[in-house]
Amino acid sequence: PRLVGTRILSDLRALGDNSWRGRAFDPKRNIRAPATIRLLGPSTISIKGCLIGEMICKEQRWTKVS
């Protein structure tokens, strides 16, 4: 599948306290899942996506590189 230009995170809404809720795209499964994004520091975020009522979840930390 062609992924260039694909939005990884979409429909984000602020929850307050440096966190947002929205949808994350999983290119391996070609699905968009509900996700929570948290700002952990000036250059790091945590993205947690869940399926089936939060029974199956995966979390990743992304760090900005200079």
Side-chain angles (χ1 to χ4, degrees), residues 5 7-8 14 17 19 24 28-29 41 44 51 53 58 60 63 66:
R7 287 184 187 252
I8 303 296
D17 197 30
S19 60
K28 274 182 148 175
R29 294 173 185 81
T44 305
L51 294 173
K58 182 176 181 180
Q60 291 185 348
T63 303
S66 319

Side-chain angles (χ1 to χ4, degrees), residues 5 10 12 24-25 28 32-33 41 50 55 57-59 61:
S10 60
L12 297 177
F25 178 65
K28 274 182 148 175
R32 293 196 182 278
C50 296
M55 288 178 52
C57 297
K58 182 176 181 180
E59 186 170 356
R61 287 185 183 205

Side-chain angles (χ1 to χ4, degrees), residues 4 23-24 28 34 41 44 47 52 63:
V4 174
R23 301 182 68 71
K28 274 182 148 175
T44 305
I47 302 167
I52 310 172
T63 303

Side-chain angles (χ1 to χ4, degrees), residues 6-57:
T6 301
R7 287 184 187 252
I8 303 296
L9 301 172
S10 60
D11 303 327
L12 297 177
R13 300 195 195 300
L15 297 175
D17 197 30
N18 292 323
S19 60
W20 296 262
R21 184 159 289 143
R23 301 182 68 71
F25 178 65
D26 180 350
K28 274 182 148 175
R29 294 173 185 81
N30 196 29
I31 59 170
R32 293 196 182 278
T36 302
I37 296 90
R38 291 182 300 131
L39 180 63
L40 301 177
S43 61
T44 305
I45 61 172
S46 167
I47 302 167
K48 181 179 179 182
C50 296
L51 294 173
I52 310 172
E54 295 197 24
M55 288 178 52
I56 301 172
C57 297

